[in-house]
Amino acid sequence: PTGVSAPEVAYANVHIVNWRGGPMTSLFCLTEQCLIHVACVCAGHNASRDVVTLVKSVLFHRRNPLHFHFITDTVANRILSSLFQSWMVPSVQVSFYDADELKSEVSWIPNKHYSGIYGLMKLTLTKALPSDLSKVIVLDTDITFATDIAELWGIFRKFTDKQVIGLVENQSDWYLGNLWKNHKPWPALGRGFNTGVILLYLERLRRIGWEQMWRLTAERELMSMLSTSLADQDIFNAFIKQNPVLVHQLPCFWNVQLSDHTRSEQCYTEVSDLKVIHWNSPKKLRVKNKHVEFFRNLYLTFLEYDGNLLRRELFGCPTQASPESVKLQKALEELDEDDQCYDFRRERLTVHRVHLYFLQYDYTPTEDNTDITLVAQLSMDRLQMLEAICKHWEGPISLALYMSDAEAQQFLRYAQASEVLKNRKNVGYHIVYKEGQFYPVNLVRNVALKNANTPYVFLTDVDFLPMYGLYDYLRKSVVQMDMAHTKKALVVPAFETLRYRLSFPKSKAELLSMLDMGTLYTFRYHVWPKGHAPTNYAKWRTATTPYKVEWEPDFEPYVVVRRECPEYDQRFVGFGWNKVSHIMELDAQEYDLMVLPNAFMIHMPHAPSFDISKFRSSSSYRNCLNTLKDEFHQDLSRKYGSAALKYLTAQRNI
């Protein structure tokens, strides 16, 4: 979009372009007939989720290179550009166009449709899309394909010389005006046409002066109609009523419309004949149709389909791999398959799909520039912790969730049913889709860290509950410790309970009492004391002011730091050394480790993870972890020189 200074971004075989206009060239197909162009208007978090299901259904059936053109707001642009970059689907190009630049073209039109101003954007495509793009298929986000989109693209060849637009007849009585008393629709040809699926012959539309023609049509009809009810569809139909020779009517199976007032069942005999399903009802999956169960199952198939399976190469069309794809392939080929740590090294080269802001997210920055985001990662087995964390931490949260496509939908249903979660809009949920045999814990952490929107971050784990009031206490500590001008990591002392039900302490005094009674323990004191011993719990008991502690081997406290802190080292996957390495790098960058005297967090009990079981049962796993440790030490030494020598010395002493 305008305002993005970066040039074109190419990632593997997915080519993402932020268009400013100018010539367009195909990187992946040597013949223009091979490349199919698809356009969608997409705005907001919900539409961004919907469009992924549409894209999956298109990719599943396609045999051609594709170029997706998305007209987006800022939210959808951020979500979809990240998703396609990380998806790495071969022979797919993606371009984005700034919807804000197009709003003035349609904002003058009063519109009652729930889609708002974005429901009018399809009228602007001759202006929005590149001037040398001659044809495009335009789709609503609530579309599911049941066939190869090339079949639809091929219908352009059936257009007469005068036809400029292909549409399916509307399957409801809306434009006949007999749905209820005093129902007065916009003018239309017969039953009118539905604009959920459109074939636009852009070259011809520009030639006949489309931009002026639709404007004149809208201005004329608005004098009596006052506003649109079905957004762009009303204006398209009024235009066609005046110019019927310009429309090519598509067979109804290219847009089977599912809403309570449609007669879609009359347009097909067998459901197997259908090509495109259009969930054009606000009720979506709850519409009335005798075959709705079939349609619902088709939709759910793609909703939960593993998107990694769509990373397959195409046959029959010549394609050209991007430099990033070539580089990745070369790196994979250079790995030694006989190396006992081959699986670990290969994991580091795995590119995981990432869907940022999977749910609605609203955050307004604070004026005092002291805000803190709680940053954590989790998988399906820790989902039950989310409500409790939201009750304990009222500030912004950035969570990365490592899940399959099907699990992501389970999470969505869980979050939408939870009174606690659905009322919290300052929580960013970022899905990292499963791929490979290890839990890429530090990669997942980095996704959550990079998408925090505050100056400071509280780096924690999802199975810890912060003390009540910790958010406000930490913000005050940020000011008192002058973190804006000094390099400090504020340590929040960690404790644990073995009880699934705990009367959570409301103060430090209450926590100390529970510690003395054996209801609480210092974290991991009985299995891994080195991890938190440097916090100096004995000193903390009586401390009233923050105190500095020194780094020691295997120290892995939970800390508050600036958002621009080092990222986690992604060579460490599964269990072991993932946080330890991060604290070492903070220390190498000369962060002061300061323990806060009136802060605490408590680890809640749960079943051991699969990764810790693997660590305990596999000697090769532990050997590889030691190898990775050595390599990390060497890299740290090269990066920080003398500041990192103590880590090598400490390792030798161990």
Side-chain angles (χ1 to χ4, degrees):
T2 299
V4 175
S5 58
E8 297 179 355
V9 180
Y11 202 99
N13 283 6
V14 180
H15 187 68
I16 295 185
V17 184
N18 286 294
W19 281 96
R20 298 173 184 270
M24 179 189 66
T25 56
S26 166
L27 295 186
F28 299 110
C29 196
L30 303 183
T31 58
E32 185 61 28
Q33 290 78 12
C34 196
L35 183 65
I36 295 172
H37 294 270
V38 182
C40 281
V41 178
C42 184
H45 301 84
N46 294 342
S48 298
R49 281 200 314 273
D50 291 342
V51 85
V52 173
T53 308
L54 160 63
V55 168
K56 282 184 185 179
S57 71
V58 172
L59 293 176
F60 180 83
H61 298 287
R62 64 105 181 210
R63 288 170 292 183
N64 289 60
L66 297 170
H67 190 150
F68 288 101
H69 302 264
F70 292 112
I71 294 83
T72 59
D73 64 350
T74 305
V75 169
N77 183 300
R78 183 175 183 184
I79 293 170
L80 294 178
S81 59
S82 169
L83 178 68
F84 277 99
Q85 280 188 15
S86 58
W87 201 342
M88 294 181 67
V89 185
S91 304
V92 169
Q93 300 173 61
V94 185
S95 301
F96 293 94
Y97 311 84
D98 190 358
D100 286 339
E101 290 190 350
L102 300 168
K103 283 182 177 178
S104 61
E105 301 290 319
V106 292
S107 58
W108 56 275
I109 303 172
N111 177 28
K112 292 180 180 177
H113 194 257
Y114 62 81
S115 59
I117 193 170
Y118 298 101
L120 297 161
M121 289 285 178
K122 282 183 278 189
L123 296 165
T124 73
L125 291 181
T126 52
K127 182 172 184 176
L129 299 178
S131 58
D132 60 347
L133 179 58
S134 63
K135 300 187 291 287
V136 68
I137 296 172
V138 186
L139 302 172
D140 281 355
T141 58
D142 52 2
I143 293 286
T144 305
F145 266 75
T147 193
D148 190 341
I149 196 171
E151 293 181 45
L152 181 58
W153 184 257
I155 295 177
F156 275 117
R157 294 194 295 271
K158 298 181 180 180
F159 278 34
T160 66
D161 291 343
K162 291 185 177 180
Q163 289 173 341
V164 298
I165 183 168
L167 292 164
V168 170
E169 186 180 61
N170 201 45
Q171 289 158 20
S172 81
D173 288 348
W174 179 274
Y175 288 107
L176 298 180
N178 58 13
L179 290 181
W180 57 80
K181 189 178 179 181
N182 299 325
H183 173 218
K184 186 186 177 187
W186 275 52
L189 194 65
R191 302 184 67 84
F193 294 91
N194 184 276
T195 56
V197 177
I198 316 176
L199 296 185
L200 279 188
Y201 215 126
L202 297 170
E203 182 182 348
R204 294 179 183 178
L205 281 165
R206 294 188 185 102
R207 203 183 303 146
I208 66 171
W210 163 252
E211 291 176 32
Q212 293 74 29
M213 293 178 77
W214 76 256
R215 279 177 175 273
L216 289 172
T217 299
E219 289 168 356
R220 181 181 65 246
E221 299 302 332
L222 283 168
M223 292 177 69
S224 58
M225 298 303 299
L226 303 181
S227 68
T228 62
S229 295
L230 300 183
D232 66 83
Q233 185 167 295
D234 285 338
I235 297 172
F236 272 108
N237 273 289
F239 169 79
I240 290 168
K241 176 76 182 267
Q242 295 294 315
N243 305 277
V245 71
L246 299 179
V247 68
H248 179 94
Q249 184 167 334
L250 303 175
C252 68
F253 50 65
W254 284 113
N255 183 356
V256 178
Q257 301 146 39
L258 298 180
S259 64
D260 289 347
H261 296 295
T262 62
R263 298 183 179 182
S264 53
E265 295 165 21
Q266 296 179 8
C267 103
Y268 61 89
T269 311
E270 300 291 334
V271 289
S272 57
D273 298 334
L274 302 181
K275 308 286 189 182
V276 171
I277 313 302
H278 184 190
W279 301 90
N280 62 328
S281 164
K283 295 197 298 184
K284 301 303 180 191
L285 301 185
R286 301 190 303 277
V287 295
K288 297 173 184 175
N289 181 291
K290 67 181 179 182
H291 297 120
V292 71
E293 206 55 42
F294 172 85
F295 297 136
R296 187 184 289 117
N297 289 337
L298 177 69
Y299 173 79
L300 292 175
T301 295
F302 291 114
L303 187 72
E304 300 186 355
Y305 189 81
D306 183 354
N308 298 327
L309 300 177
L310 298 167
R311 290 169 164 172
R312 58 176 184 261
E313 296 286 348
L314 296 180
F315 299 96
C317 258
T319 60
Q320 177 182 332
S322 71
E324 283 74 13
S325 180
V326 173
K327 185 178 178 182
L328 179 62
Q329 187 58 40
K330 185 179 179 183
L332 286 168
E333 290 170 357
E334 288 176 352
L335 292 179
D336 180 4
E337 292 189 27
D338 295 327
D339 180 357
Q340 67 169 349
C341 298
Y342 171 80
D343 290 338
F344 285 84
R345 302 191 194 287
R346 196 183 193 290
E347 176 63 42
R348 197 174 184 188
L349 297 175
T350 300
V351 180
H352 293 265
R353 278 180 300 139
V354 178
H355 187 134
L356 302 178
Y357 301 103
F358 197 66
L359 298 181
Q360 188 75 30
Y361 174 78
D362 292 305
Y363 168 73
T364 303
T366 58
E367 293 181 1
D368 60 4
N369 221 27
T370 65
D371 213 357
I372 303 170
T373 297
L374 185 150
V375 173
Q377 51 77 34
L378 69 150
S379 54
M380 222 34 205
D381 58 344
R382 300 289 185 267
L383 211 55
Q384 74 281 358
M385 291 297 300
L386 294 185
E387 288 189 345
I389 282 182
C390 285
K391 290 176 181 176
H392 280 248
W393 179 273
E394 60 270 31
I397 301 174
S398 181
L399 295 172
L401 301 91
Y402 189 60
M403 294 179 168
S404 66
D405 293 73
E407 288 172 339
Q409 295 307 314
Q410 292 176 44
F411 158 69
L412 177 62
R413 293 190 290 271
Y414 171 79
Q416 290 175 336
S418 164
E419 290 297 325
V420 175
L421 301 187
K422 71 182 180 183
N423 290 323
R424 282 289 294 271
K425 302 301 182 187
N426 64 346
V427 181
Y429 299 99
H430 315 293
I431 306 294
V432 180
Y433 287 102
K434 285 183 176 178
E435 175 85 340
Q437 57 179 308
F438 293 103
Y439 191 130
V441 59
N442 278 358
L443 178 147
V444 182
R445 281 197 175 104
N446 284 337
V447 169
L449 174 58
K450 285 185 281 192
N451 289 285
N453 296 310
T454 56
Y456 304 96
V457 287
F458 174 30
L459 305 177
T460 182
D461 278 333
V462 78
D463 43 12
F464 278 88
L465 289 182
M467 72 176 197
Y468 291 112
L470 183 61
Y471 171 61
D472 288 334
Y473 175 68
L474 292 180
R475 288 183 64 185
K476 291 174 184 174
S477 299
V478 160
V479 177
Q480 292 168 357
M481 304 294 286
D482 192 25
M483 287 185 66
H485 305 102
T486 58
K487 293 177 77 171
K488 291 188 176 74
L490 308 184
V491 176
V492 177
F495 300 84
E496 68 177 324
T497 179
L498 303 180
R499 300 184 179 186
Y500 283 89
R501 285 188 159 189
L502 176 74
S503 177
F504 202 90
K506 295 179 175 60
S507 65
K508 179 177 178 177
E510 195 174 328
L511 177 135
L512 291 174
S513 175
M514 295 171 74
L515 205 60
D516 292 338
M517 291 189 296
T519 310
L520 291 177
Y521 308 91
T522 56
F523 186 55
R524 291 291 184 258
Y525 85 100
H526 53 301
V527 293
W528 186 243
K530 292 193 292 184
H532 292 266
T535 299
N536 195 343
Y537 289 100
K539 183 171 184 177
W540 183 82
R541 293 181 71 102
T542 56
T544 56
T545 57
Y547 58 91
K548 183 179 178 181
V549 295
E550 297 298 327
W551 173 86
E552 293 179 25
D554 299 314
F555 192 26
E556 51 179 3
Y558 296 96
V559 296
V560 176
V561 288
R562 295 179 193 165
R563 185 183 55 193
E564 298 77 18
C565 70
E567 292 183 7
Y568 289 86
D569 193 294
Q570 292 180 191
R571 82 186 79 198
F572 297 105
V573 296
F575 177 81
W577 251 63
N578 43 73
K579 292 191 297 291
V580 171
S581 56
H582 189 243
I583 295 299
M584 285 178 67
E585 187 151 9
L586 287 176
D587 186 66
Q589 289 194 7
E590 299 181 329
Y591 276 74
D592 288 335
L593 298 168
M594 306 295 298
V595 180
L596 296 174
N598 294 307
F600 62 84
M601 56 198 294
I602 299 177
H603 180 265
M604 306 306 290
H606 55 74
S609 67
F610 176 70
D611 290 293
I612 196 169
S613 302
K614 208 157 38 171
F615 171 83
R616 289 170 177 168
S617 62
S618 171
S619 59
S620 63
Y621 190 110
R622 295 191 296 274
N623 290 337
C624 281
L625 185 58
N626 285 327
T627 300
L628 295 176
K629 283 184 192 178
D630 291 339
E631 292 172 1
F632 172 77
H633 281 126
Q634 292 165 15
D635 290 344
L636 208 64
S637 179
R638 280 191 289 268
K639 190 173 181 180
Y640 296 104
S642 58
L645 286 177
K646 64 179 178 181
Y647 310 123
L648 287 169
T649 304
Q651 181 68 8
R652 291 193 192 101
N653 292 339
I654 292 171

